Amino acid sequence: MSETPEKQLVTDLLELLQCLSISESNPTLKRIAEMQTVIALNNCESGATIPEVMANIRHQPYEIITVFDNHQRKFCDRTIYDKWMSSLYLTDDVKRLADTAIHNHITDCTFSAVDLRFIEQLNLKTSILVTPSYNYYLERPEQGWPQNSDWCEELASIGKSLYYTSRLNLNRATARHQALIRVSERYNMPYYQTDSSGNLLVCNSLYVNASA
């Protein structure tokens, strides 16, 4: 995931909306600005709830990202129809709404270093990654996300080290998964993996089963 080019459009629309909110004298223009903002953040329909979105994007041939607020109301559902990345720009005002984000990978590979930077930038409480066979969850630490990118670089570095250690014989997906277990524990982030039905497979020591 990365933040890119709709920046000017969304910024302009939200600035317009903010100005119009100061004066209610033209509700028609205000409504137009609201609708344009919604359109800028939504160009696909993956479902209304978190379970629906997870089911609907699992086998898509390209990445999709959806964002929910803390009341589990979806306000963003976007794709650029690329199988290796998704692109999303949110202004600071909209970022404050973000609580849970869901996106998919077309292979069974966990969060990338780029994903981690995006998660930190949005200050997400929970990030969910859906793949053809698995679900991966990463939760914000109690002290908040790290304030630098060291943990993202650490994930990439450890993943490469594990992958190139021949005696371990790990594929790239498993190497990255093992690396994220280490990094998430180091930075006190609950991280776990389930199968597509939600059955727990692997978790780090920070994971707490809410149903237990």
Side-chain angles (χ1 to χ4, degrees):
M1 290 181 295
S2 63
E3 286 194 304
T4 46
E6 295 105 334
K7 180 173 182 177
Q8 195 59 53
L9 170 63
V10 179
T11 301
D12 290 347
L13 289 171
L14 288 173
E15 286 179 354
L16 173 60
L17 180 57
Q18 185 177 23
C19 291
L20 291 170
S21 296
I22 297 173
S23 172
E24 301 294 333
S25 60
N26 198 326
T28 301
L29 283 180
K30 182 180 178 183
R31 181 57 178 159
I32 290 172
E34 289 173 341
M35 292 304 297
Q36 286 178 317
T37 302
V38 169
I39 291 169
L41 296 177
N42 295 271
N43 68 347
C44 58
E45 178 49 61
S46 303
T49 67
I50 290 175
E52 285 178 2
V53 170
M54 292 174 68
N56 291 337
I57 70 174
R58 184 175 304 282
H59 298 290
Q60 291 294 340
Y62 45 80
E63 285 198 16
I64 298 171
I65 179 169
T66 66
V67 187
F68 290 78
D69 67 14
N70 62 352
H71 299 291
Q72 296 195 358
R73 296 174 300 199
K74 186 183 70 173
F75 66 88
C76 176
D77 198 342
R78 278 198 62 79
T79 183
I80 58 171
Y81 303 100
D82 187 289
K83 63 181 180 179
W84 301 119
M85 67 174 292
S86 51
S87 175
L88 177 65
Y89 175 76
L90 299 177
T91 65
D92 290 341
D93 285 341
V94 178
K95 282 180 183 179
R96 282 192 280 270
L97 298 175
D99 182 82
T100 300
I102 308 168
H103 80 289
N104 63 310
H105 285 175
I106 66 169
T107 64
D108 286 324
C109 210
T110 190
F111 298 97
S112 67
V114 175
D115 293 337
L116 299 189
R117 292 189 190 97
F118 181 85
I119 291 167
E120 183 273 327
Q121 288 167 4
L122 262 65
N123 193 30
L124 294 167
K125 180 180 178 182
T126 303
S127 187
I128 303 171
L129 171 62
V130 175
T131 75
S133 304
Y134 306 113
N135 304 317
Y136 297 93
Y137 298 80
L138 187 64
E139 299 178 3
R140 185 175 59 211
E142 289 185 5
Q143 71 274 20
W145 299 109
Q147 294 304 301
N148 56 55
S149 61
D150 290 354
W151 62 300
C152 305
E153 303 305 326
E154 195 172 332
L155 171 66
S157 176
I158 294 175
K160 287 180 181 178
S161 176
L162 291 173
Y163 177 68
Y164 287 111
T165 301
S166 57
R167 63 182 174 79
L168 296 177
N169 194 29
L170 301 179
N171 61 30
R172 287 186 183 276
T174 304
R176 189 193 290 177
H177 181 46
Q178 292 298 319
L180 188 47
I181 289 175
R182 296 187 188 184
V183 171
S184 59
E185 288 190 334
R186 174 177 168 80
Y187 291 95
N188 299 312
M189 304 168 184
Y191 169 66
Y192 57 103
Q193 175 196 35
T194 74
D195 63 20
S196 58
S197 298
N199 301 303
L200 183 66
L201 298 176
V202 178
C203 64
N204 68 12
S205 61
L206 283 304
Y207 170 77
V208 176
N209 188 346
S211 63

